[in-house]
Amino acid sequence: MCHASVAAVSDSELPLAGLRFTLVGPGRVGSSLAGWATAAGAQLIEQSGRAGVERISSAGQELLLIAVPDPAVAEMAAGLARRPQAAVALHTSGSLDAQALAPLRAAGSAVGSLHPLKAFPRALADPAEARGVFFALDGDEAARLLAQRLAGAWGAVAAEVPAAARPLYHFAASLAAGGVVTLLAAAAEIAARLRLPPAVARGYLELARGAVAAAIAAGEAARALTGPVARGEAATVRRQLAALREIAPEKLPLAVELARETLRHAAPQPAQEALASELDRLRQELRDEN
């Protein structure tokens, strides 16, 4: 009987073999990306927090990865540019473009950005966490090519998000992550005011999980819209908003705007027109009250 054997992949066959890099900012994002890179064959030569950045020199390496909070990126770039650095410097900010690393460009490094469109509640050690994640790129050609190589090695998706689009690209990312969590917190608060058991709030989390899964399966969030607003059920929405005015009136403007936005994205139905008019009227009433 012939027994087939599967040979282990040698380090030299890994997609990032031979890539040497330094990490500045070993927090949740930086540690995750560094771990994914080493798992794909790269070699982490040195890492430092912001406090030790004055000693960092990545000269002779392929990559200097800067994963510090947005307000610190320019300051770190200026400090790092005082010493020889790697051929390419990438930062992980979503709201900033490559120009934030201008001092490093002036010092001889190609500069760019590599922003993962993913939440990092903690450092994510498993390289499988990178699969399918979108990475926003921009910057000098050499920097973009290296960023593409990294994303490809991780099984991720990468595309350029230019400087002019960065502020709203990042705002939309905040809506998709932080905005959703904020709405879940508001839902839990309403349940608490109604003195419902904690299991209800946990149920809302599970409901959100299912809704997001449906949107992913549909390939487009708008195709997964559901609920009385999307269906144009004006009587139900009217009762809900009246009850909200009693228990949490400060959330009524938010509810109205969310309902109007839902109608904008929902598949057209005859009943929606009447609901849209009612929401517009209520919106104006709330403005007049204020």
Side-chain angles (χ1 to χ4, degrees):
M1 181 180 293
C2 178
H3 296 279
S5 62
V6 178
V9 176
S10 69
D11 289 347
S12 63
E13 295 175 304
L14 293 171
L16 297 181
L19 189 148
R20 297 163 301 157
F21 72 105
T22 286
L23 169 66
V24 173
R28 292 175 292 182
V29 175
S31 294
S32 298
L33 270 58
W36 301 345
T38 56
Q43 183 181 3
L44 177 59
I45 304 299
E46 190 172 6
Q47 65 179 14
S48 172
R50 284 181 280 175
V53 76
E54 68 280 350
R55 63 179 173 78
I56 291 295
S57 174
S58 56
Q61 298 172 32
E62 287 69 42
L63 172 64
L64 171 63
L65 182 62
I66 302 171
V68 298
D70 291 8
V73 172
E75 178 187 352
M76 290 299 102
L80 288 161
R82 298 190 185 106
R83 292 163 301 285
Q85 300 297 345
V88 169
L90 297 172
H91 70 67
T92 60
S93 168
S95 65
L96 301 175
D97 61 273
Q99 187 60 25
L101 301 182
L104 284 163
R105 176 188 280 143
S109 297
V111 300
S113 64
L114 177 71
H115 174 250
L117 200 57
K118 183 178 180 67
F120 290 83
R122 62 188 181 285
L124 304 174
D126 186 354
E129 292 277 1
R131 291 178 194 147
V133 172
F134 176 80
F135 281 83
L137 317 179
D138 87 315
D140 302 328
E141 182 179 11
R144 285 187 283 107
L145 287 173
L146 181 52
Q148 287 275 11
R149 181 185 171 193
L150 290 166
W154 298 332
V157 178
E160 184 173 3
V161 175
R166 288 274 165 158
L168 287 183
Y169 155 78
H170 197 249
F171 170 73
S174 299
L175 283 182
V180 170
V181 174
T182 297
L183 290 177
L184 285 168
E189 185 179 359
I190 291 170
R193 291 191 191 183
L194 293 168
R195 300 185 183 280
L196 298 175
V200 172
R202 292 194 294 271
Y204 291 152
L205 296 176
E206 190 58 38
L207 184 65
R209 187 204 304 272
V212 170
I216 292 171
E220 181 183 347
R223 292 172 59 190
L225 285 172
T226 186
V229 173
R231 294 189 293 269
E233 297 172 357
T236 300
V237 175
R238 193 180 302 118
R239 287 195 303 273
Q240 291 175 342
L241 294 178
L244 188 63
R245 188 189 286 272
E246 292 297 320
I247 196 73
E250 79 284 357
K251 292 181 172 54
L252 191 56
L254 172 64
V256 170
E257 294 303 327
L258 281 173
R260 294 177 77 253
E261 189 68 11
T262 298
L263 282 178
R264 273 200 339 104
H265 293 285
Q269 297 187 36
Q272 292 172 347
E273 187 173 342
L275 177 55
S277 297
E278 189 160 347
L279 290 170
D280 287 343
R281 177 187 56 76
L282 181 53
R283 183 195 204 195
Q284 189 58 52
E285 285 180 9
L286 291 171
R287 287 180 173 177
D288 292 343
E289 289 174 4
N290 294 326

